[in-house]
Amino acid sequence: MFQTLYSYFWWERLWLPANLTWADLEDRDGRVYAKASDLYVTLPLAFLFLVVRHLFETYVATPLAGLLNVKEKIRLKAAPNAVLERFYAATSKHPKQADVETLSKKSGCSVRQVERWFRRRRNQDRPSLLKKFREASWRFTFYLLAFIAGMAVIVDKPWFYDLREVWKGYPIQSMLPSQYWYYIIELSFYWSLLFSIASDVKRKDFKEQIIHHVATIILISFSWFANYIRAGTLIMALHDSADYLLESAKMFNYAGWRNTCNNIFIVFAAVFIVTRLVILPFWIMHCTVVYPLELYPAFFGYYFFNFMMVVLQSLHVFWAYLIIRMAQKFITGKASWGPGVVEDERSDREETDDTEEEEEAAKNGPLSNGHPVLNNNHRKTD
């Protein structure tokens, strides 16, 4: 049964154009082709990446955080309370008003005390600023090095300047050693991201991140199997071109370098929109959708590859929407990280004990001892 499934999975008509077989992609005459077995090494390398990441965050990112004066906010811990803790763990971290009133009676606390306890308890589970900085530092370092390596791999190739060269002679295109290592390292890194996503800082786009990592792994793997390597290197380098900018903006934000964070974010937003919403759909996807049909009839692999590209592009549109919202806050000065600083729309914002007072102030103006203040130009900040 396993042999039958194996035969169906590697059926040439799924992976290759008509009249081509796997025998056509066997190494000969000095030509070297990608093999599925080459990717087995990416799984142990992914765990090696996790080890390297731990060492990097411990011995590089943590001292760097100290040099940049990354400071933690003082978090008030929720007082031990068995009734509230049991509800928090088993039912909901965000109780409804009816639940708050019920818990107030059961725990012997006032409604306000119950609300404050849940705010403090949720804050205890939120990742620390140092954890966020360390993660951003690791991703920044990898994306920057990967982008530099990717450009070194493709900048001197003719298909970097003429996209029709991507398909010239396909699929009889020999794989270069630089392409091999670029693929292996990128795929290993994305496996490591998928393995660590449960323990990393969770943001509001957690599900979209999982979809992105899975789609990326599938695209990289499929392009390897079907010898779409030239297109694959272009796509990977294009994605790395903006990611390191975002991670560096996060690092400076966590360090309190507001103006630097703002300026880098503007550059990131411009690069992201140009690369993901212009170059990718109108150049790269045009290259993968239109040009292959000039050489061979469409087959399953052609449709599958471009379908996964559409999935990625949909995620880019979603993230572009969040980026534009951040940019609007930056332009209008309504950012909540501080004056003129853009808040990450994906972040789970930390709550403070004076949340209720802030909400009341938003309705009736700032409060002083519970009463409205008619003229107060100095607002309290978190």
Side-chain angles (χ1 to χ4, degrees), residues 77-217:
K77 293 185 177 180
N81 189 304
V83 173
L84 301 182
E85 185 67 39
R86 187 163 49 250
F87 185 93
Y88 180 88
T91 306
S92 175
K93 297 180 181 180
H94 297 270
K96 297 178 181 179
Q97 188 60 36
D99 295 325
V100 170
E101 294 174 358
T102 301
L103 290 170
S104 174
K105 297 176 182 177
K106 290 183 178 180
S107 64
C109 301
S110 67
V111 170
R112 181 178 289 272
Q113 287 174 330
V114 171
E115 292 171 342
R116 180 176 291 116
W117 187 95
F118 273 92
R119 282 196 296 273
R120 290 182 178 180
R121 187 64 182 84
R122 286 193 295 267
N123 282 338
Q124 286 179 220
D125 285 348
R126 288 188 172 91
S128 67
L129 198 63
L130 179 59
K131 177 178 174 62
K132 293 179 181 179
F133 181 88
R134 285 162 44 137
E135 286 188 11
S137 300
W138 165 248
R139 289 192 295 264
F140 163 76
T141 302
F142 177 83
Y143 288 136
L144 178 60
L145 295 177
F147 176 64
I148 294 172
M151 293 305 296
V153 169
I154 64 175
V155 73
D156 61 338
K157 305 301 186 295
W159 53 87
F160 181 71
Y161 305 95
D162 182 2
L163 292 179
R164 289 186 180 274
E165 291 287 332
V166 168
W167 305 106
K168 186 176 181 179
Y170 177 84
I172 312 302
Q173 297 173 340
S174 183
M175 178 183 62
L176 303 174
S178 58
Q179 294 172 326
Y180 171 86
W181 286 110
Y182 188 35
Y183 256 80
I184 294 299
I185 291 172
E186 284 274 352
L187 184 56
S188 300
F189 178 74
Y190 277 102
W191 274 120
S192 73
L193 287 183
L194 189 62
F195 294 156
S196 65
I197 195 169
S199 60
D200 288 345
V201 174
K202 289 183 175 62
R203 303 184 186 275
K204 295 177 182 178
D205 62 346
F206 177 74
K207 295 179 180 178
E208 289 80 6
Q209 286 284 357
I210 294 178
I211 295 172
H212 175 268
H213 296 339
V214 171
T216 300
I217 289 171

Side-chain angles (χ1 to χ4, degrees), residues 242-251 264-265 268 344 346:
D243 290 339
Y244 71 91
L245 292 170
L246 176 61
E247 300 303 332
S248 62
K250 291 180 185 178
M251 291 170 60
I264 293 177
F265 177 80
F268 158 73
D344 189 345
R346 304 174 303 152

Side-chain angles (χ1 to χ4, degrees), residues 31 154 157-175 179 183 223 226-235 283-296 302 305-306 309:
R31 292 180 177 271
I154 64 175
K157 305 301 186 295
W159 53 87
F160 181 71
Y161 305 95
D162 182 2
L163 292 179
R164 289 186 180 274
E165 291 287 332
V166 168
W167 305 106
K168 186 176 181 179
Y170 177 84
I172 312 302
Q173 297 173 340
S174 183
M175 178 183 62
Q179 294 172 326
Y183 256 80
S223 64
N227 209 29
Y228 275 32
I229 293 178
R230 293 182 180 180
T233 53
L234 290 174
I235 294 168
W283 270 269
I284 304 298
M285 290 184 68
H286 181 267
C287 169
T288 61
V289 172
V290 176
Y291 295 161
L293 298 181
E294 298 176 357
L295 302 175
Y296 53 80
Y302 164 86
F305 181 84
N306 286 294
M309 289 290 290

Side-chain angles (χ1 to χ4, degrees), residues 221-272:
S221 301
F222 176 82
S223 64
W224 182 266
F225 300 154
N227 209 29
Y228 275 32
I229 293 178
R230 293 182 180 180
T233 53
L234 290 174
I235 294 168
M236 289 189 294
L238 186 74
H239 280 73
D240 290 334
S241 64
D243 290 339
Y244 71 91
L245 292 170
L246 176 61
E247 300 303 332
S248 62
K250 291 180 185 178
M251 291 170 60
F252 285 114
N253 173 65
Y254 301 145
W257 294 34
R258 307 305 190 188
N259 291 333
T260 304
C261 169
N262 291 344
N263 293 332
I264 293 177
F265 177 80
I266 292 173
V267 176
F268 158 73
V271 172
F272 184 95

